[in-house]
């Protein structure tokens, strides 16, 4: 069933590609992650990059209804976009913190910055001084990823200065795991040990280390809050193991035309595919201009939903607005123009498509373009 406020203004039949987002599966994924936590541990949600390409305006209210009250975005503008969707009972944390000069804007929109550096701490402290009030913030420590966060030296210098956090109310101390998708990687334990040590240099506040994959590594990684993103959207948080999450995204591409070609006939730019047998080729109306990765040409698979057992190879180089699929194995199954094949779906998971494109599910989802007809389903 379609939700009433389907955001795509154009009829679905106009679109070459159809992106269906299952909001019930999204909510179920949130609840299943939360149910893995001991009572009292907070399950936040990463909704940065437009909720991993799925549409933050749709995703955020569903997560709120499922019980989520802490949302992580990367940029000020992303926080401003979702702030009106949430009541004052919800906290929106801006992972990158405030760019210089935007501290007052961040505060005015009711957003909480992550303070990643001494400069960001100083800027937030001075805004608090100017306002004559205390301002909430999340403190990030660098436990070994060398990306964001205060270093051990920074923290020791701060610990020697009683006014280092004057006017700042720390809500949380956080860090991020670099190798949680490989639970046995020694960097995980090193980061956890470093996190524990660095946390002790700060006032006692709740702590957070794990995102999707870290959540599945077990209780000692959960601390007081976990911050999953990918798993909510159906990306497998346990690579190499069966996906414990429900699929949220289905991407379909519609057939424009089919043709029979003989052996030796080329398909697409650069004649990169040459048929070695009499072949039936379908041209689908999705290309790299839709954000579907061009690198999948020659590697990926499409599925006709009625024949899920047959993987249909995406052949040749992908064009901006179309791609070619070898549908020979379907024999003479009718494939009238407009027929939809799955590019991401129950029988072609995100991970498989991403692997075929030489990338990861995260990049595949966040790259999903604006040209698809989007359908949000909910019971
Ligand atoms: C993106 C991000 C998350 C969510 O990560 P997933 O792997 O998608 O669960 C959590 N914390 C931080 C700091 C992030 O940048």
């Amino acid at each position: 069933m379609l939700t009433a406020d389907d955001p795509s203004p154009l009829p679905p039949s106009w679109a070459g590609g159809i992106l269906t987002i299952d909001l019930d599966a999204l909510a179920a994924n949130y609840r299943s992650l939360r149910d893995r936590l001991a009572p009292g541990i907070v399950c936040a949600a990463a909704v940065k990059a437009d909720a991993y390409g799925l549409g933050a305006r749709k995703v955020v209210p569903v997560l709120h209804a499922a019980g989520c009250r802490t949302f992580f975005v990367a940029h000020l503008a992303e926080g401003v976009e979702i702030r009106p969707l949430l009541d004052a009972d919800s906290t929106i944390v801006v992972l990158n913190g405030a760019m210089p000069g935007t501290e007052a804007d961040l505060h005015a929109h009711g957003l909480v910055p992550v303070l990643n550096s001494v400069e960001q701490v100083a800027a937030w402290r001075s805004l608090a001084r100017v306002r004559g009030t205390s301002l909430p913030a999340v403190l990030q420590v660098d436990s070994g990823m060398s990306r964001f966060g205060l270093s051990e030296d920074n923290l020791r210098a701060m610990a020697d200065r009683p006014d280092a956090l004057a006017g700042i109310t720390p809500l949380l101390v956080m860090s991020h795991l670099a190798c949680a998708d490989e639970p046995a990687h020694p960097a995980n334990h090193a980061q956890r040990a470093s996190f524990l040590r660095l946390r002790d240099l700060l006032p006692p506040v709740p702590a957070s280390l794990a995102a999707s994959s870290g959540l599945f590594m077990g209780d000692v990684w959960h601390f007081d809050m976990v911050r999953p993103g990918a798993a909510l959207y159906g990306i497998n948080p346990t690579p190499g193991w069966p996906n414990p999450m429900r699929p949220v995204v289905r991407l379909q591409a519609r057939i424009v035309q089919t043709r029979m070609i003989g052996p030796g006939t080329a398909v697409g730019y650069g004649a990169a595919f040459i048929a070695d047998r009499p072949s039936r080729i379908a041209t689908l109306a999705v290309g790299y201009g839709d954000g579907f990765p061009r690198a999948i040409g020659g590697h990926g698979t499409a599925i006709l939903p009625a024949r899920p057992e047959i993987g249909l190879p995406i052949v040749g180089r992908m064009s901006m607005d179309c791609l070619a699929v070898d549908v020979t194995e379907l024999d003479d199954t009718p494939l009238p123009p407009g027929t939809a094949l799955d590019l991401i779906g129950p029988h072609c998971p995100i991970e498989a498509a991403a692997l075929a494109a030489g990338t990861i599910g995260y990049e595949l989802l966040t790259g999903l373009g604006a040209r698809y007809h989007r359908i949000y389903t909910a019971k």
Side-chain angles (χ1 to χ4, degrees), residues 272-314:
F273 174 80
I274 298 179
D276 60 4
R277 57 176 179 174
S279 301
R280 189 181 183 201
I281 301 294
T283 303
L284 274 54
V286 161
Y288 63 79
D290 299 281
F292 200 63
R294 181 174 174 275
I296 210 168
H299 304 287
T301 301
I303 297 282
L304 178 68
R307 303 294 302 277
E309 73 284 6
I310 303 179
L312 303 167
I314 298 173

Side-chain angles (χ1 to χ4, degrees), residues 21-376:
I21 293 155
D22 183 343
L23 296 174
D24 291 332
L26 172 73
N29 283 344
Y30 177 80
R31 289 190 296 263
S32 85
L33 294 174
R34 189 195 50 201
D35 291 348
R36 289 176 177 273
L37 307 175
I41 296 178
V42 172
C43 190
V47 296
K48 60 200 185 185
D50 202 23
Y52 290 44
L54 274 53
R57 285 165 193 264
K58 285 290 190 172
V59 162
V60 164
V62 170
L63 293 174
H64 183 271
C68 186
R69 295 292 179 270
T70 305
F71 297 84
F72 286 85
V73 296
H75 297 280
L76 166 61
E78 294 176 344
V80 171
E81 185 186 2
I82 66 167
R83 185 70 269 184
L85 306 172
L86 294 164
D87 300 326
D89 66 351
S90 293
T91 304
I92 301 171
V93 182
V94 179
L95 287 165
N96 288 0
M99 283 292 174
T102 66
E103 292 80 9
D105 298 327
L106 205 142
H107 177 57
H109 284 95
L111 308 174
V112 174
V114 176
L115 304 179
N116 292 299
S117 63
V118 285
E119 291 89 346
Q120 288 187 339
V121 170
W124 203 238
R125 207 173 48 216
S126 68
L127 181 67
R129 190 178 341 101
V130 170
R131 296 295 160 91
T133 179
S134 187
L135 299 177
V138 170
L139 295 167
Q140 175 139 234
V141 299
D142 176 15
S143 60
M145 195 175 180
S146 309
R147 192 175 71 162
F148 291 115
L150 298 157
S151 68
E152 178 154 5
D153 285 350
N154 297 156
L155 291 164
R156 290 199 183 283
M158 283 168 56
D160 290 342
R161 280 187 44 194
D163 65 337
L165 293 173
I168 296 175
T169 306
L171 304 180
L172 183 75
V173 54
M174 64 173 275
S175 195
H176 192 57
L177 295 169
C179 304
D181 58 340
E182 294 175 64
H185 199 296
N188 291 317
H189 286 280
Q191 278 200 269
R192 185 170 174 279
S194 164
F195 184 57
L196 291 171
R197 199 176 62 247
L198 298 181
R199 185 182 66 158
D200 283 347
L201 297 170
L202 287 164
V205 292
S208 176
L209 183 59
S212 294
S213 293
L215 193 156
F216 283 83
M217 284 163 53
D219 288 357
V220 300
W221 302 88
H222 296 169
F223 293 91
D224 303 294
M225 178 190 287
V226 295
R227 315 178 305 268
L232 293 170
Y233 311 116
I235 291 175
N236 187 355
T238 57
W241 298 86
N243 190 348
M245 311 314 298
R246 274 176 59 177
V248 174
V249 177
R250 182 173 196 179
L251 177 61
Q252 295 175 292
R254 302 173 76 213
I255 294 176
V256 178
Q257 68 176 126
T258 57
R259 74 181 65 246
M260 298 299 305
I261 61 172
T265 307
V267 175
Y269 281 117
F273 174 80
I274 298 179
D276 60 4
R277 57 176 179 174
S279 301
R280 189 181 183 201
I281 301 294
T283 303
L284 274 54
V286 161
Y288 63 79
D290 299 281
F292 200 63
R294 181 174 174 275
I296 210 168
H299 304 287
T301 301
I303 297 282
L304 178 68
R307 303 294 302 277
E309 73 284 6
I310 303 179
L312 303 167
I314 298 173
V315 293
R317 289 191 195 149
M318 188 188 294
S319 300
M320 186 185 295
D321 312 304
C322 66
L323 56 81
V325 174
D326 183 341
V327 295
T328 313
E329 295 299 318
L330 292 175
D331 297 321
D332 49 8
T333 306
L335 293 171
T339 302
L341 302 188
D342 285 352
L343 297 176
I344 299 172
H347 301 280
C348 35
I350 298 170
E351 283 71 26
L355 186 68
T359 183
I360 56 173
Y362 294 68
E363 190 182 31
L364 192 61
L365 289 192
T366 54
L368 292 171
R371 241 183 345 178
Y372 303 118
H373 180 82
R374 289 187 176 223
I375 299 173
Y376 291 89

